[in-house]
Amino acid sequence: MTDSRDVTAEDQARHAQKMARIKAARDRMMTTRTGEKGLVIVHTGPGKGKSSSGFGMIMRCIGHGMPCAVVQFIKGNWDTGERRLLETHFPDICQIHVMGEGFTWETQDKRRDIAAAEAAWRKAQELIREPRNRMVLLDEINIAFRYGYLDPVEVVGFLAAEKPEMTHVVLTGRNAPPELIEAADLVSEIAVLKHPFRQGVKAQPGVEF
Amino acid sequence: MTDSRDVTAEDQARHAQKMARIKAARDRMMTTRTGEKGLVIVHTGPGKGKSSSGFGMIMRCIGHGMPCAVVQFIKGNWDTGERRLLETHFPDICQIHVMGEGFTWETQDKRRDIAAAEAAWRKAQELIREPRNRMVLLDEINIAFRYGYLDPVEVVGFLAAEKPEMTHVVLTGRNAPPELIEAADLVSEIAVLKHPFRQGVKAQPGVEF
C-alpha cells in the first residue's frame, strides 16, 4: 500500500532471522509452562471491558463445549444482550442467574441489597461446587465487596477450600479488594483513556449492555 | 454473614440518603447524554482481555439481533472457541473471517505477513461499508500496525471518510498507534497485575483461546 512496506531481500532475511529468534525464545518458554489448573481470574479497574471480557471467556468455553455458569451480582434490571443470548441459545451448557436488583443507587435499600448479594453468593457457591462446571463468572461481585455486602475474606477462603482444582472462576467489577487480588492467579486492570460519555454519547446496545 | 453487615435503622437511612444523592447525580448526567453514534473503540495494553472483550461485545450484538462481523488479523492458526461458536451457531448474523496466518514469528516471512494483513484490511473495509453490519471487530489489527504491515493513517482516514455513522468498529491488540488513539471515541488500556504464565501454567482453553 505504501513504499514503507516494500520488502527487499535483505530486509526479508533480517526479518526472518529476528522472527526465528523470537520463535525459539517463545518455544523455550512454552516448554516450561506445562501446568494446567483452574484459575482465579480478576478483571478490575475503572475502564470498559471487564464484564464483556468475562462474557467473552464464557463464550469461548461454550465454543469448546465446556459447561459453565454466570451469576450477575448487580445488573439485574438490564435486559442485556448477553443474558438474552445465553438464555435463548445455550441453556443446556451455560446457566445464567441474575441475582442483583439493579444498581444499589436504584434500590436505595441496604437490607435488600445485602440480601440480594448474599443470595447471589450462595448460588455462586453451589455453581462452583458443581464438578460439571468448568468456568463460573461472578459478574460485578466486586461492587458487592465495595459496599460491604460481602466479605472478601470469606469468598477467598471458600475458593481456596472448595473450588474444584480444574474450575476457573472469573470475578469482575471495579475496586477489587486486596484480599482477592492477593489470592488470584490472573489479574487485569482496565484503565479508561477515553470515554464517549464525555462527548455526550449515551450507553448503547452492543457496546454497554 | 458477619457482624459488619448488620444494618441499623440509622445506617439504613444514611444509606438510602447517600444512594438517592448518587441516583440524582446519575440521572442528571444521563439526561445530558442523549447522543447515539457508531463508535470507534480501541482495546489495547499488555494485559489479558482485549480480544475476549471484543468478542463479548460481538456476542452482545448477536443477543440484540444486530448483524455484525469479525476479522482476525493474526491468530489464524488457533482453533479458537470464539470462531467455532460463531461459525456453528450464528453464521446468518455474524460473519467471521480468519485472515492472518498465525503469529508473525511462526511464518518468519515478511512478504507473506504483509500480504495477509493487506487482504485482511480489504475484507475489513468491505464489511465496514456494508450498511447491514452494526459492529465490526478487527481483532489484533494493532499487531499489523506495530510491525508496519498496515499504515494507521490510512486506516483512520478510511474510518473517518467511509464508516457508516451508526456502525461501531472495535480494534484490538497491544501497542495501539497514537493516530488510532487520537481518532477513537473509547479507549481502554489493560494492564497485567498478575499472570499465571509466571507460575508455569500454560495457555488453557476457555481462558486464552
Side-chain angles (χ1 to χ4, degrees):
Chain A
M1 303 197 308
T2 69
D3 289 348
S4 68
R5 265 169 287 116
D6 288 344
V7 180
T8 65
E10 197 192 348
D11 188 25
Q12 168 68 19
R14 210 168 37 234
H15 177 86
Q17 232 173 27
K18 183 176 158 197
M19 290 303 149
R21 276 198 307 272
I22 293 180
K23 178 169 164 54
R26 232 187 129 79
D27 288 350
R28 255 196 323 275
M29 188 179 84
M30 286 303 178
T31 61
T32 63
R33 288 167 188 172
T34 52
E36 280 191 300
K37 67 176 227 179
L39 302 174
V40 175
I41 298 172
V42 175
H43 290 163
T44 192
K48 228 203 95 44
K50 300 181 289 291
S51 291
S52 329
S53 173
F55 273 97
M57 285 198 280
I58 285 288
M59 299 319 299
R60 277 184 181 156
C61 287
I62 294 174
H64 288 298
M66 296 158 62
C68 48
V70 179
V71 180
Q72 287 195 297
F73 276 72
I74 299 286
K75 291 181 182 165
N77 287 332
W78 293 39
D79 176 21
T80 63
E82 301 96 309
R83 178 179 169 187
R84 198 183 299 177
L85 184 92
L86 292 173
E87 288 176 346
T88 311
H89 292 275
F90 306 108
D92 296 338
I93 192 166
C94 184
Q95 295 181 55
I96 176 159
H97 299 273
V98 180
M99 311 292 289
E101 299 197 68
F103 285 98
T104 188
W105 54 80
E106 296 289 347
T107 64
Q108 298 172 27
D109 184 332
K110 192 169 179 177
R111 277 195 197 89
R112 209 168 99 189
D113 286 350
I114 292 178
E118 290 180 342
W121 173 235
R122 280 192 301 275
K123 175 54 77 180
Q125 288 174 291
E126 186 188 303
L127 293 166
I128 292 167
R129 282 194 190 107
E130 232 176 81
R132 173 179 188 267
N133 286 327
R134 301 280 300 277
M135 179 179 283
V136 180
L137 168 61
L138 309 182
D139 190 44
E140 300 285 11
I141 190 175
N142 289 338
I143 308 290
F145 295 136
R146 174 85 163 95
Y147 283 103
Y149 300 164
L150 289 179
D151 180 355
V153 173
E154 184 182 323
V155 170
V156 163
F158 172 84
L159 293 177
E162 299 205 40
K163 183 182 81 60
E165 201 190 326
M166 296 309 296
T167 303
H168 305 296
V169 177
V170 184
L171 305 95
T172 74
R174 58 171 73 195
N175 299 113
E179 298 88 340
L180 178 59
I181 289 176
E182 176 59 33
D185 299 293
L186 195 165
V187 182
S188 297
E189 185 170 60
I190 308 189
V192 55
L193 296 190
K194 248 186 187 181
H195 201 293
F197 280 6
R198 296 191 190 140
Q199 308 164 41
V201 175
K202 71 178 181 186
Q204 295 178 92
V207 178
E208 307 281 345
F209 59 92
Chain B
M1 305 194 308
T2 69
D3 289 347
S4 68
R5 264 168 288 114
D6 287 344
V7 180
T8 64
E10 193 192 350
D11 188 24
Q12 167 68 18
R14 208 169 36 233
H15 176 86
Q17 233 173 24
K18 182 176 159 196
M19 291 302 148
R21 275 200 306 274
I22 293 182
K23 179 170 162 53
R26 231 186 132 76
D27 288 350
R28 255 197 321 278
M29 187 177 83
M30 286 303 179
T31 60
T32 63
R33 290 169 188 171
T34 52
E36 279 192 302
K37 66 176 228 179
L39 303 174
V40 174
I41 299 172
V42 175
H43 290 160
T44 193
K48 230 200 94 43
K50 300 181 290 291
S51 290
S52 331
S53 173
F55 274 98
M57 283 198 280
I58 285 288
M59 299 320 298
R60 278 184 181 157
C61 286
I62 294 173
H64 288 297
M66 297 158 60
C68 49
V70 180
V71 179
Q72 288 195 297
F73 275 73
I74 299 288
K75 287 178 183 170
N77 288 331
W78 293 42
D79 176 23
T80 61
E82 302 94 313
R83 179 181 167 185
R84 198 183 298 178
L85 183 92
L86 292 175
E87 287 177 346
T88 312
H89 292 274
F90 306 108
D92 296 337
I93 192 167
C94 185
Q95 296 181 54
I96 175 160
H97 298 272
V98 181
M99 311 292 290
E101 300 198 68
F103 284 100
T104 187
W105 55 80
E106 296 288 346
T107 64
Q108 296 171 29
D109 184 332
K110 193 168 179 178
R111 277 194 199 89
R112 211 167 98 188
D113 286 351
I114 292 178
E118 289 180 343
W121 173 235
R122 279 192 301 273
K123 174 55 75 180
Q125 288 173 289
E126 186 188 303
L127 293 166
I128 293 167
R129 282 194 191 107
E130 232 175 83
R132 172 178 188 267
N133 285 326
R134 303 280 300 276
M135 179 179 283
V136 180
L137 169 60
L138 309 182
D139 189 45
E140 299 286 14
I141 190 174
N142 289 339
I143 308 291
F145 294 136
R146 174 86 162 94
Y147 282 103
Y149 300 165
L150 289 180
D151 179 355
V153 174
E154 184 181 322
V155 170
V156 163
F158 173 84
L159 293 176
E162 300 204 40
K163 184 182 81 58
E165 201 189 327
M166 295 310 294
T167 303
H168 304 297
V169 177
V170 184
L171 306 96
T172 74
R174 58 171 74 192
N175 300 114
E179 298 88 341
L180 178 60
I181 290 176
E182 176 59 31
D185 300 293
L186 194 165
V187 182
S188 297
E189 184 168 62
I190 309 188
V192 53
L193 296 189
K194 249 187 186 180
H195 200 292
F197 279 7
R198 296 190 191 142
Q199 309 165 39
V201 174
K202 71 179 180 185
Q204 296 179 91
V207 179
E208 306 280 348
F209 59 93

